[in-house]
Structures are given as C-alpha cells and as structure tokens.
Amino acid sequence: MTRRRADRASLGSALLWLGPALLLIGGVVVLPAVELVRASLSRFSITGLRLGDAGTRNYTAVLQHPMLGTVVLNTVIWVVAVVALTVVISLGVAQFLTKDFWGRTVVRWAVIVPWAASLVITAKTFVMIYDYYYGTLNLLLGAVGLGPVDFLGSDAWIMASMVLVGVFVSIPFTSYVFVAGLNATPVEVYEAARVDGAGPFQTWWRITLPLLRPALLVAVVLNIINVFNSFPIIYVLNDRNPGFGHDTTITFMYKLAFKSAEKDVGMSAAAGVFNVLLILVVVVVYLRFTRWREESA
C-alpha cells in the first residue's frame, strides 16, 4: 500500500514537471498533425469551407497529378545540391574560423549575419541581385560583355540560382556546428600526430574528419530537414514563373491550395501528409545508414 502511494506520488511529480512540455508538444505538433490528416480526408469549396468527407480521393489526385514527377525531381536536386555544397563549404569556413588571426571576432559575427536575417528579406535581396533588367549581377556581367542572363526566368538558370541562395543562408549554422566540433577535439591528439610525422592532409583526413563525425551527422540531418521545408526561398525567387515546373514539394503543396487551377485545400493537405512521411523516411534511412557505418567501423 505504501509502495503504491509512493509510485502515485512519483507519477504526479513527473507529470507536474513534464506537463508544460507535453501541452506544448500536443498543441504545436500533435494537434496540427491530426488536423492535417483530417483535412486531407475532406472535401472543401473553393473558398475553403468543408463540404464533407472525401475518403482517399485527395491522395489519389495528388499521386495522379501530371507535374508530380517534375516536382519530386526538383526537390531531390534542391535538397542534395544545397546540403552537399553547404557541408563542403562549411568545413572550410569552420577550419578558417578556428584559426587565430587579427579580427577573428568580427569575421565570426559577419559570418552569422545571413543566418540571423529573415529568409524572405534575403530572398528578396537576391531577387534584386538576379533581376534581368536592373539586377546588380547583370549590370556587372553586361559591363564585361557576358550579360544579361535571365537567372530567375530561364529553365537552365533558375534552380542553380535558388541553390546558391539556399547554400548562402545554410552556411552560418553549419559552420558553427563544425566550429563546436573542432573546438572539442583534444589538442593532444594533433600533437601526437605531429610527433608521428603526419602531414596536414593526413592529420585532417585521419583525425579531424573522423572526430567531426557526430557534428557532421547533426549538420546533415538538420540541413536535410531545413532545406526540404524551405518555403520562402523557392516561393520568392520562383514567384514570377507560372505552373509547377520549378517548384519543390513544399511550394507545390501551397500552390495546390492557393495559386493553381485546382485551388483544393484537401489536395494540399494530402500533399502535406506525403511531405511529412517523405522527410521521416529520409531521416530514418540516413540515421540507420550512419549507425551501420559506425558499427562496421
């Protein structure tokens, strides 16, 4: 009897401490997820009023959409290109930021500015840089006889232009994750490598990179999630182009509800469910692959 009372007291104390966090998770994560699934199984009028149940028709309509293949391919190119370039460039930036040089503090603050700025403002700034008629970049290219280039309207340039902005805003956070990893590496390890005659590249390849693996894992997973869900950059830079030819799954979902011939909230919600499942599958596969590599090492 005494033991049961002690267990109930312990459970009540735990709920008291965990209650605010559980309420927050329920309000921010669980409730929106339930409403998303509910909307994906419903019919809506063009003004957004719920008309009744739709069964799985919204999911079928999304899977049969003629532009779905293009949108998925755009998403894969966008995520892989931005994450890969961000990780490679950030490794170099992090190595530079850990060096001792005059003005290092100022440089560190300057690097973090793109991350602190609003994504919409950053995207709008790049629209002015890329603009075909009065953009800064085309003025420079025109001065040397190489422009103008339609960075935001040409099929050949729009994805590369968006990837550049995605990398620009992703580098600060990723670099600081790597800086934390580099600062946690024991100095004695490098001294031992130097005594054994290891060169700079051998030291980086055999010591620095393996010890950075935890930071690398965090950076890659978080960047995959952030880049996949990045709406402002794609929407702002691709806003002048009609249709879904340069959209990712995130902007595809938005346009289905508000900026397409469909204007179907139910289809948009079904696309949202697919987005959540897709990012969960990618993260789980990556984590299992990384664990397999660590166990086999």
Side-chain angles (χ1 to χ4, degrees):
M1 193 69 176
T2 305
R3 183 182 178 84
R4 287 182 179 177
R5 287 180 180 174
D7 290 341
R8 282 199 292 270
S10 178
L11 178 61
S13 177
L15 288 176
L16 183 63
W17 286 102
L18 294 175
L22 292 176
L23 287 175
L24 183 65
I25 293 173
V28 176
V29 178
V30 178
L31 183 59
V34 171
E35 288 298 318
L36 178 67
V37 173
R38 179 173 172 269
S40 70
L41 298 172
S42 303
R43 289 187 298 113
F44 291 88
S45 69
I46 196 169
T47 58
L49 294 176
R50 188 176 186 275
L51 301 177
D53 295 332
T56 59
R57 276 177 289 180
N58 290 325
Y59 291 94
T60 304
V62 171
L63 293 175
Q64 293 178 345
H65 197 284
M67 293 302 292
L68 181 63
T70 301
V71 170
V72 171
L73 179 62
N74 289 340
T75 306
V76 172
I77 294 173
W78 160 253
V79 174
V80 171
V82 173
V83 174
L85 289 173
T86 297
V87 169
V88 171
I89 297 173
S90 297
L91 281 171
V93 173
Q95 292 281 351
F96 174 70
L97 293 178
T98 54
K99 302 297 182 185
D100 190 14
F101 58 89
W102 185 84
R104 187 178 67 171
T105 303
V106 177
V107 174
R108 284 188 169 189
W109 279 106
V111 168
I112 208 170
V113 168
W115 186 56
S118 162
L119 283 179
V120 175
I121 293 175
T122 304
K124 284 289 186 183
T125 303
F126 271 89
V127 168
M128 291 189 287
I129 293 173
Y130 285 144
D131 190 87
Y132 182 81
Y133 295 104
Y134 54 83
T136 310
L137 188 54
N138 271 324
L139 291 177
L140 295 174
L141 291 175
V144 297
L146 297 177
V149 177
D150 194 1
F151 292 104
L152 300 179
S154 167
D155 291 340
W157 284 98
I158 179 65
M159 180 56 74
S161 303
M162 294 190 297
V163 166
L164 177 62
V165 181
V167 172
F168 178 75
V169 299
S170 301
I171 282 177
F173 170 77
T174 313
S175 297
Y176 273 86
V177 171
F178 292 151
V179 166
L182 289 171
N183 288 335
T185 305
V187 179
E188 293 80 8
V189 178
Y190 291 110
E191 292 177 349
R194 195 177 304 114
V195 171
D196 291 340
F201 179 75
Q202 285 180 309
T203 303
W204 186 84
W205 183 256
R206 295 185 180 279
I207 295 177
T208 302
L209 193 57
L211 291 178
L212 266 181
R213 185 176 294 174
L216 196 61
L217 174 64
V218 171
V220 170
V221 171
L222 292 183
N223 270 300
I224 287 175
I225 296 172
N226 286 334
V227 173
F228 180 85
N229 289 317
S230 180
F231 177 84
I233 296 174
I234 304 293
Y235 183 75
V236 172
L237 271 70
N238 188 39
D239 186 41
R240 62 185 66 185
N241 297 313
F244 301 100
H246 306 294
D247 282 296
T248 63
T249 52
I250 296 299
T251 52
F252 174 69
M253 176 183 66
Y254 174 81
K255 285 185 174 179
L256 282 178
F258 303 109
K259 291 192 67 175
S260 66
E262 291 85 356
K263 281 191 171 54
D264 192 323
V265 176
M267 277 185 67
S268 177
V273 173
F274 283 130
N275 283 337
V276 174
L277 294 177
L278 185 60
I279 193 63
L280 286 178
V281 168
V282 170
V283 171
V284 169
V285 168
Y286 182 80
L287 291 176
R288 289 186 65 85
F289 174 76
T290 306
R291 184 178 300 174
W292 172 75
R293 289 288 302 272
E294 290 177 347
E295 290 175 353
S296 62

